[in-house]
Amino acid sequence: MAALAGLKVIEIAGLAPAPFAGKVLADFGADVVRVDRSTSAMNFDVLAQNKRSIALNLKSPAGIEALIRLCEKADVVIEPFRPGVMERLGLGPDVLLKRNPRLIYARMTGFGQEGHYAKMAGHDINYLAISGVLSTLGKHDEKPAFPINLLADFAGGGLMCALGVLLALQERTKSGKGQVVDAAMIDGVNYLGSFVYNMNKVGALFQTPAGTGQLDGGSHFYDTYKTKDGLFMAVGAIEVEFYKLLLKGLELDEEKDKLPEQMDSSNWPKMKALFTRIFLSKTQAEWVKIFDKTDACVTPVLDYYSMPTPAPAPRLLRTPAKSPVSNDGTDVFLEVGGESKKILVEAGFSEEEIRDLVAKKAVAGAGLEKSSL
């Protein structure tokens, strides 16, 4: 049995960060029901594995009441909207927690519930910028270099939201009470950077400006290098003993070649130029053969899209998570309203109540045609 088996989660359909929080819970066994719009024929959410869908009309009083009843039987609700949207729908935490005092109400936003930016639109790059983390990324004397939308959306957003849900569930075992989890991406990614921030304050590793420290692209022993065949190798030989093995693999000798001391930052640009020339002399496969099974901390940069389907992590050995179904993309989408009737029945709705919801166009989806007769 998976670790979160028996946990009931309502996920209001949204964009990537909130669905990822739901995916984490679903992959580890939670019963996650995504609430889609009844007017949507398709939802292009690619993080819907191991979830189910019900299609509700949240512009309908009957649809709103149906969702409230679903939340009465749930442990968790995850909502992805800007501040105030759920309140205007009549689905704010004051309403849902009154109907279900044990409910964990998770709010996934970019800028948080309050503050100057709270009601503004934004994306990963904006949350990185306001958190301050974006200022630490990039080469020296160049503009900040934003990564793909992993840091704020998923690490500081969805994953932190899932963590908050689990913390609140753990606390509920003692108090018996639910609570609001305020998961703002600017807070999450800022917290994620605690090590970088603290190391900078004590004058180690991460310097100002960005791109001049040991681990942010300033040094020659922590960088990527192009190979003869146009691929890349990643080098992370920080410790002295690992650095010596790196030099050995590059056929360099500190004394014979009169190399500067590893931590002499004034010579890092010169050493980078040297390493660049050397790495260009061999193919990636040749470098892999040289450094394989050594402690030089040199590895090939692999193509992410050629890797197997990402599997849930961490691995729980006694109660493992669900495995991804395929690697061809065919299982990523979820039929909108695919289990609408089944979900309503499980929540205690009678056949007559379901027919009434269908008549009021408050619900749509598979299995409801007969209920409308």
Side-chain angles (χ1 to χ4, degrees), residues 13-284:
L15 297 177
F20 184 66
K23 174 177 167 56
V24 171
L25 301 177
D27 286 346
F28 283 91
D31 177 13
V32 178
V33 171
R34 189 182 72 194
V35 179
D36 286 303
R37 297 178 181 178
S38 60
T39 55
S40 297
M42 182 69 180
N43 186 323
F44 290 96
D45 171 22
V46 296
L47 298 172
Q49 298 89 340
N50 298 318
K51 300 178 186 177
R52 301 189 291 160
S53 169
I54 183 172
L56 293 176
N57 180 3
L58 297 185
K59 294 183 178 180
S60 159
I64 293 293
E65 181 59 27
L67 178 54
I68 293 175
R69 284 184 59 180
L70 291 178
C71 289
E72 286 179 340
K73 300 289 183 70
D75 295 290
V76 180
V77 63
I78 302 173
E79 67 97 349
F81 302 127
R82 293 194 215 179
V85 172
M86 288 291 277
E87 283 81 356
R88 289 194 293 275
L89 289 171
L91 295 167
D94 55 335
V95 173
L96 296 189
L97 284 167
K98 184 176 181 180
R99 297 278 288 264
N100 180 1
R102 291 176 54 83
L103 184 68
I104 307 303
Y105 191 113
R107 318 198 76 167
M108 182 79 265
T109 62
F111 295 119
Q113 295 296 317
E114 299 177 344
H116 180 77
Y117 297 94
K119 295 188 177 181
M120 292 173 56
H123 286 293
D124 183 281
I125 189 172
N126 307 115
Y127 311 139
L128 279 181
I130 297 301
S131 74
V133 171
L134 186 56
S135 71
T136 70
L137 306 175
K139 298 292 186 181
H140 180 47
D141 284 338
E142 295 183 11
K143 65 180 183 179
F146 59 91
I148 56 177
N149 65 319
L150 284 175
L151 285 181
D153 278 358
F154 299 103
L159 194 58
M160 284 291 186
C161 182
L163 172 61
V165 166
L166 296 177
L167 292 172
L169 286 168
Q170 169 61 21
E171 192 281 333
R172 193 180 71 176
T173 64
K174 295 177 285 186
S175 68
K177 298 178 181 179
Q179 62 178 300
V180 174
V181 176
D182 182 1
M185 284 174 254
I186 57 170
D187 294 340
V189 75
N190 183 274
Y191 183 52
L192 197 70
S194 295
F195 175 78
V196 175
Y197 183 90
N198 291 341
M199 289 300 283
N200 174 270
K201 292 301 181 183
V202 299
L205 293 183
F206 301 100
Q207 310 301 321
T208 302
T212 61
Q214 291 182 35
L215 304 184
D216 63 359
S219 69
H220 58 294
F221 52 83
Y222 203 90
D223 208 342
T224 56
Y225 293 93
K226 195 171 186 177
T227 59
K228 187 177 181 180
D229 52 350
L231 301 177
F232 294 89
M233 298 295 289
V235 174
I238 304 169
E239 294 81 358
V240 173
E241 61 271 28
F242 301 157
Y243 184 68
K244 288 181 178 179
L245 293 173
L246 166 63
L247 295 181
K248 180 180 177 181
L250 296 177
E251 299 183 348
L252 292 172
D253 184 276
E254 287 186 270
E255 294 186 6
K256 182 179 178 182
D257 295 311
K258 298 181 180 180
L259 300 179
E261 195 273 327
Q262 177 188 359
M263 295 298 173
D264 180 3
S265 60
S266 66
N267 283 295
W268 286 352
K270 181 173 70 175
M271 290 300 294
K272 274 197 176 192
L274 175 61
F275 279 21
T276 296
R277 291 196 299 273
I278 294 174
F279 273 104
L280 280 171
S281 68
K282 290 181 173 63
T283 65
Q284 185 188 72

